[in-house]
Amino acid sequence: MNPRSPAPLDILDTLDWPRFATEYWDRRPVLIRGTGLPRAPFDPNELFESAVIAAQRPGVAHRIRFSAGQRHLVDPGDLLPRPEDASFEAYDRRVTGQLHGESFSLMVLCLHSAHHPLWARERDFLTGLWEHVGQPSAGATTTLLHGSRAPGPSTVRRGAGFLYVALGARRLRLGLDGHWSAADAVPGDLVYWPAGWHHTRSPGTAPAASGTSARATASVHIGIPREPTRHGTGLPSLLAPGPNPVSPQEGWGGDGIHVPDGDPPDDLPTGLPPVLAAALDHFRQAARPAALERRVAREALLQATNGGLDPVPPPARPGYFTDDDAVRATERVLWSKVGGRQLVAACGHVLETDLSAPELSAVIGLLNAGEAVLVGELAPPARSLLSRLAGFRAVERL
């Protein structure tokens, strides 16, 4: 064999999380055949629905990248997925026609935050991994990669990565310290590589599915942070529950602080400017023991229910129930008593309730036990709780 030829990548016919955690996690890459996955981490229909929702939400320029040929389009307009396309195949045909056959690529960042069913499916898949390696304190990322344009040069990521092939075949080359491995992945396959590995993607050699463009591919990259948590990580969320008084539009934690060169002038005014004084007071109030304790509890509940994926999809409108309705849980509900208040969490969202601890324990105990809760027997605060939980998609009407 030519010493420069990549070695075959390890291939598993069955995903066994204990074996994966022992032999591959943070050690070496592996390809897992789709036939061996207990449940696919993604569904092509949900992927397309998520891309459509992401394209319609405000701030699309920060979440979606679209290129035609070698041109990056700042405003892709109607070249983004639309509801009437209904599928990747139909979308590919429309866009290819509009571009007169020119290749294109679509990248959607934070894909899991656009669609609750996709988030729930990915969350369920990753749960098996977290049980053996621990859930990272920083949320995993989800990126959709779709199109007919050839991928870019070799890249290296600081975090670990999974690549799930949804449509079309992919040929992957993974390397570390000059040693390369390669594999051909077909739809349904999952490829893992540890942090620090170089990887390149190119169209594979397997035939395309019926009705699919021969060059079109769709895959999803899951990025999992592997760097040690740095001191100060999470402080913005703990100390900044409100808007940033210095820069309300930018929020907290930005890099837009500029220090001029040279010595400061001699006639600086005493005291802080009003806007900085307001910011300092804000931090003092947020750092008080009671306020900080509540923020810490809130963050702990968020991480315990977000499935290791951040941000989570926004809540829907609160549900509406009548006295004749019965409700049951579809997700596990957690709660914590902090500073005389009760915090309730599900699906990566947290609320406060006026229910007493015994009342709340009784309601959530029934929900988590799989029991039906009769709305007509509940006091107004408990009915309000169920309504909010329905917006979190944690309960449903029977």
Side-chain angles (χ1 to χ4, degrees), residues 43 68 74 151 156 159 171 178 209 225 238 247 264 285 365 367 374:
D43 173 80
V74 177
V156 60
R171 171 163 288 173
L238 292 177
S247 183
Q285 297 297 321
L367 291 174
L374 302 179

Side-chain angles (χ1 to χ4, degrees), residues 210-345:
S210 175
T212 304
S213 169
R215 294 191 303 159
T217 61
S219 56
V220 186
H221 175 264
I222 304 175
I224 302 176
R226 299 304 299 142
E227 292 184 318
T229 303
R230 294 177 297 177
H231 294 297
T233 299
L235 279 178
S237 60
L238 292 177
L239 296 179
N244 182 344
V246 176
S247 183
Q249 301 303 317
E250 295 185 6
W252 296 95
D255 296 324
I257 300 177
H258 304 280
V259 179
D261 296 329
D263 296 328
D266 296 330
D267 57 347
L268 285 175
T270 58
L272 290 173
V275 67
L276 294 183
L280 180 59
D281 182 67
H282 175 90
F283 277 114
R284 283 173 174 163
Q285 297 297 321
R288 290 182 303 171
L292 189 57
E293 182 184 12
R294 185 173 301 177
R295 293 294 299 177
V296 169
R298 180 180 292 269
E299 289 299 314
L301 288 170
L302 287 175
Q303 289 201 19
T305 59
N306 68 8
L309 295 161
D310 183 46
V312 296
R317 292 182 178 179
Y320 174 75
F321 302 115
T322 67
D323 290 344
D324 297 327
D325 286 330
V327 175
R328 69 178 176 187
T330 57
E331 297 281 351
R332 185 163 171 253
V333 182
L334 303 181
W335 70 282
S336 177
K337 181 178 180 180
V338 184
R341 299 283 293 176
Q342 278 62 251
L343 302 180
V344 182

Side-chain angles (χ1 to χ4, degrees), residues 52-398:
V52 170
I53 295 172
Q56 295 176 327
R57 290 170 61 182
V60 63
H62 299 290
R63 293 190 305 274
I64 293 185
R65 309 283 187 269
F66 187 93
S67 297
Q70 299 300 315
R71 298 172 291 117
H72 171 66
L73 305 185
V74 177
D75 183 10
D78 63 355
L79 294 174
L80 296 180
R82 301 187 303 198
E84 55 266 31
D85 292 321
S87 68
F88 281 115
E89 291 83 356
Y91 169 67
D92 293 344
R93 290 193 294 268
R94 176 175 68 83
V95 172
T96 300
Q98 290 180 237
L99 294 175
H100 306 290
E102 188 176 20
S103 64
F104 72 94
S105 68
L106 171 71
M107 177 185 293
V108 183
L109 308 175
C110 293
L111 185 72
H112 64 260
S113 68
H115 194 35
H116 181 83
L118 183 141
W119 168 83
R121 181 186 292 269
E122 184 179 0
R123 182 271 316 268
D124 292 346
F125 172 78
L126 290 173
T127 296
L129 176 63
W130 304 151
E131 289 176 352
H132 294 89
V133 303
Q135 179 176 316
S137 57
T141 61
T142 311
T143 305
L144 171 68
L145 309 164
H146 175 64
S148 57
R149 181 185 172 194
S154 171
T155 58
V156 60
R157 298 178 184 270
R158 290 179 293 180
F162 285 99
L163 188 77
Y164 178 78
V165 180
L167 296 173
R170 286 285 197 183
R171 171 163 288 173
L172 292 101
R173 297 179 74 250
L174 303 167
L176 180 68
D177 298 331
H179 300 283
W180 290 85
S181 300
D184 286 313
V186 299
D189 288 350
L190 183 73
V191 180
Y192 164 78
W193 62 87
W197 282 66
H198 291 268
H199 67 279
T200 60
R201 302 182 306 273
S202 60
T205 58
S210 175
T212 304
S213 169
R215 294 191 303 159
T217 61
S219 56
V220 186
H221 175 264
I222 304 175
I224 302 176
R226 299 304 299 142
E227 292 184 318
T229 303
R230 294 177 297 177
H231 294 297
T233 299
L235 279 178
S237 60
L238 292 177
L239 296 179
N244 182 344
V246 176
S247 183
Q249 301 303 317
E250 295 185 6
W252 296 95
D255 296 324
I257 300 177
H258 304 280
V259 179
D261 296 329
D263 296 328
D266 296 330
D267 57 347
L268 285 175
T270 58
L272 290 173
V275 67
L276 294 183
L280 180 59
D281 182 67
H282 175 90
F283 277 114
R284 283 173 174 163
Q285 297 297 321
R288 290 182 303 171
L292 189 57
E293 182 184 12
R294 185 173 301 177
R295 293 294 299 177
V296 169
R298 180 180 292 269
E299 289 299 314
L301 288 170
L302 287 175
Q303 289 201 19
T305 59
N306 68 8
L309 295 161
D310 183 46
V312 296
R317 292 182 178 179
Y320 174 75
F321 302 115
T322 67
D323 290 344
D324 297 327
D325 286 330
V327 175
R328 69 178 176 187
T330 57
E331 297 281 351
R332 185 163 171 253
V333 182
L334 303 181
W335 70 282
S336 177
K337 181 178 180 180
V338 184
R341 299 283 293 176
Q342 278 62 251
L343 302 180
V344 182
C347 301
H349 302 289
V350 180
L351 61 85
E352 290 190 10
T353 177
D354 292 327
L355 288 169
S356 67
E359 293 171 331
L360 183 59
S361 178
V363 174
I364 293 183
L366 290 174
L367 291 174
N368 287 337
E371 300 289 339
V373 177
L374 302 179
V375 176
E377 297 178 357
L378 299 178
R383 297 177 67 145
S384 176
L385 171 67
L386 291 184
S387 179
R388 295 282 302 280
L389 289 176
F392 293 173
R393 305 174 184 89
V395 301
E396 65 179 2
R397 180 187 289 109
L398 291 176

